[in-house]
Amino acid sequence: MYSEQPSILDALIDERPFGLSSQIILHDERVICLGLDNGNDAAKITLLNDAGKLISLRIPTAYQPARAFQGGSGEVTYHLDGLPDFWIGESAIRNDGRALPIGPTAQRLPDPRQHSFLGACMLEALLAAGYEPGDYVLAVGFAIPNNEIVVETKAVGDKLGVCEETKTALKKYIRNQRWQLERTDERGKPTSWTLTVRHIIPQAQSIGTFIAWAKAPSGATVTDYDALTILDIGGGDLQRTDVYLKPYRMTSERIGDGTIDLARALKARLPKAKLNDVTAQHSLVTRQTMEMGRNRKISKEVDEVLHTNGQDLVGQVLPILQDNRRYVIITGGGAVLLRDMLLERLATVGKTQGEDFLLVNHGVASVLNAVGALFAVLFLAAKKG
């Protein structure tokens, strides 16, 4: 049975309040639920404020030790005991920030810069949702690469679970970890925050998109499809995920590198900008970069990359899009960059948006996995409570 209620995705596109809050009671403790997609190009964080509005942030995975300014406006700066003050995201990019490592979760989390970065990202999400500085306990839906979900063989049947390397890393570096952060704003005003991740609920990144498309905010199923494919065009991965609903099964395959190929092609075209992976990804999205002390518009170079390397990326997914047996959802940051080319190619093979495929609304495509991760936590809490 499925419900006639609007899906989470519909409510998100229509900007409807959800009638829910991220503040819940879980195991007799007040916690705040977050969805966190720790992407290679950017961290995406979502939560619901007390008015039921979904708050989402996309913070590029850039990190830079902070420097003292002797005049003028400063940058938002973070202090974590035992480490130098640091900048993240666009502040880091403006100040020659370095890209954080890409790759599997178990390789990324041991880097102390990654730990600091994630703590600062969660702080910014709370601040954007209207929370005051203070001490907060969190329940985090943590989106991990699809290939880190594996079949666990049990005494009675098999079920999907998290691979041991990822499970160990999440336990060691995220669950029950405490970030005691001091945040200093651009005007030099400091505030103190203590964040403790009490609960962590990992799930495959692309399943976040499935949850947002297939579920209502109440948790009711709002689709009667039997099978679908999710193409997730991310910053460092191109993932195909096949979902079967009757009964539920999931298979996933990494079929490419995602938009990092486009970013590296752009980097090669702009040698004077001295781009690294994260600044090149950022320039793809913003269509500007810093050269010789000036912000330079680079729409021409971005379009050239999209019409060369971008066509190669579209060609990688075209055979899947031409398959008539399955409904296809296209999501991720690459769905935004390649939107026009994808729609043009799909029209030439007789595919219709909404009937044969869904190219996720460009305003939410890059954060949808984090939205699904947030609601997965809320649904789990509702069952327990």
Side-chain angles (χ1 to χ4, degrees):
M1 293 293 292
Y2 69 97
S3 169
E4 296 294 337
Q5 300 175 50
S7 69
I8 295 166
L9 177 57
D10 290 334
L12 188 59
I13 292 171
D14 294 341
E15 298 184 352
R16 306 175 195 170
F18 284 91
L20 302 168
S21 167
S22 274
Q23 288 200 61
I24 63 169
I25 301 297
L26 187 59
H27 299 306
D28 298 322
E29 184 178 33
R30 180 174 293 279
V31 302
I32 300 172
C33 300
L34 302 177
L36 173 58
D37 178 5
N38 188 30
N40 285 305
D41 60 332
K44 283 76 72 173
I45 317 100
T46 62
L47 74 163
L48 294 165
N49 67 14
D50 288 343
K53 180 182 178 181
L54 189 123
I55 306 298
S56 63
L57 297 181
R58 182 185 182 278
I59 301 177
T61 51
Y63 181 98
Q64 177 71 5
R67 301 189 300 269
F69 292 108
Q70 293 174 298
S73 179
E75 298 279 11
V76 174
T77 303
Y78 307 91
H79 174 79
L80 191 62
D81 285 348
L83 292 171
D85 292 356
F86 61 96
W87 298 318
I88 64 166
E90 293 192 11
S91 294
I93 288 172
R94 283 192 293 269
N95 293 279
D96 305 318
R98 305 283 297 181
L100 291 171
I102 66 174
T105 303
Q107 292 180 15
R108 298 175 71 193
L109 291 185
D111 188 328
R113 297 173 303 164
Q114 182 74 45
H115 184 265
S116 305
F117 172 79
L118 291 177
C121 287
M122 292 186 290
L123 183 162
E124 290 300 323
L126 292 173
L127 185 63
Y131 289 95
E132 298 290 336
D135 193 336
Y136 296 100
V137 177
L138 308 177
V140 177
F142 199 95
I144 60 175
N146 298 343
N147 58 4
E148 295 177 21
I149 299 293
V150 297
V151 175
E152 294 180 334
T153 302
K154 301 291 183 181
V156 181
D158 296 335
K159 71 172 187 175
L160 295 176
V162 179
C163 71
E164 283 302 319
E165 295 84 355
T166 299
K167 193 182 296 184
T168 299
L170 291 173
K171 287 180 180 178
K172 183 174 182 179
Y173 297 107
I174 303 295
R175 193 174 74 183
N176 287 323
Q177 292 297 307
R178 173 174 288 192
W179 286 261
Q180 290 183 301
L181 286 156
E182 183 175 276
R183 178 189 190 272
T184 303
D185 69 15
E186 299 93 331
R187 298 179 301 278
K189 179 182 177 182
T191 53
S192 296
W193 302 72
T194 300
L195 312 179
T196 303
V197 176
R198 183 80 73 229
H199 309 279
I200 185 161
I201 298 89
Q203 71 172 30
Q205 286 171 324
S206 299
I207 293 303
T209 288
F210 170 72
I211 289 172
W213 172 78
K215 297 288 186 179
S218 66
T221 300
V222 296
T223 179
D224 60 352
Y225 281 79
D226 297 313
L228 69 142
T229 293
I230 300 170
L231 283 174
D232 193 342
I233 310 173
D237 290 296
L238 170 58
Q239 296 273 355
R240 170 184 178 158
T241 302
D242 294 330
V243 181
Y244 306 83
L245 301 179
K246 300 172 184 177
Y248 177 79
R249 302 192 305 276
M250 183 196 84
T251 62
S252 187
E253 176 187 8
R254 185 182 186 275
I255 58 176
D257 294 331
T259 62
I260 191 67
D261 284 345
L262 309 184
R264 288 170 178 167
L266 183 65
K267 181 165 58 172
R269 287 175 181 267
L270 299 167
K272 290 183 179 179
K274 298 189 181 300
L275 300 171
N276 56 41
D277 283 352
V278 71
T279 54
Q281 293 264 29
H282 187 65
S283 291
L284 270 177
V285 175
T286 62
R287 291 178 169 252
Q288 66 178 23
T289 190
M290 179 72 75
E291 280 189 20
M292 309 300 290
R294 293 180 177 176
N295 276 319
R296 176 188 163 196
K297 295 189 182 301
I298 54 168
S299 289
K300 177 176 176 288
E301 290 83 355
V302 171
D303 286 338
E304 288 172 351
V305 167
L306 292 178
H307 285 98
T308 52
N309 300 74
Q311 292 289 359
D312 292 339
L313 187 49
V314 172
Q316 285 181 277
V317 304
L318 196 59
I320 300 167
L321 299 173
Q322 290 172 323
D323 189 340
N324 290 323
R325 295 171 299 172
R326 309 174 67 83
Y327 189 73
V328 180
I329 300 175
I330 311 164
T331 190
V336 180
L337 287 170
L338 302 172
R339 184 176 186 83
D340 292 342
M341 283 189 288
L342 286 165
L343 288 173
E344 183 180 357
R345 288 283 196 101
L346 286 161
T348 62
V349 296
K351 297 286 187 176
T352 303
Q353 166 85 310
E355 294 181 13
D356 305 305
F357 71 94
L358 172 65
L359 183 54
V360 173
N361 179 282
H362 65 277
V364 300
S366 65
V367 299
L368 201 56
N369 290 338
V371 173
L374 166 65
F375 276 90
V377 179
L378 293 171
F379 295 158
L380 180 64
K383 287 181 181 178
K384 291 181 177 293

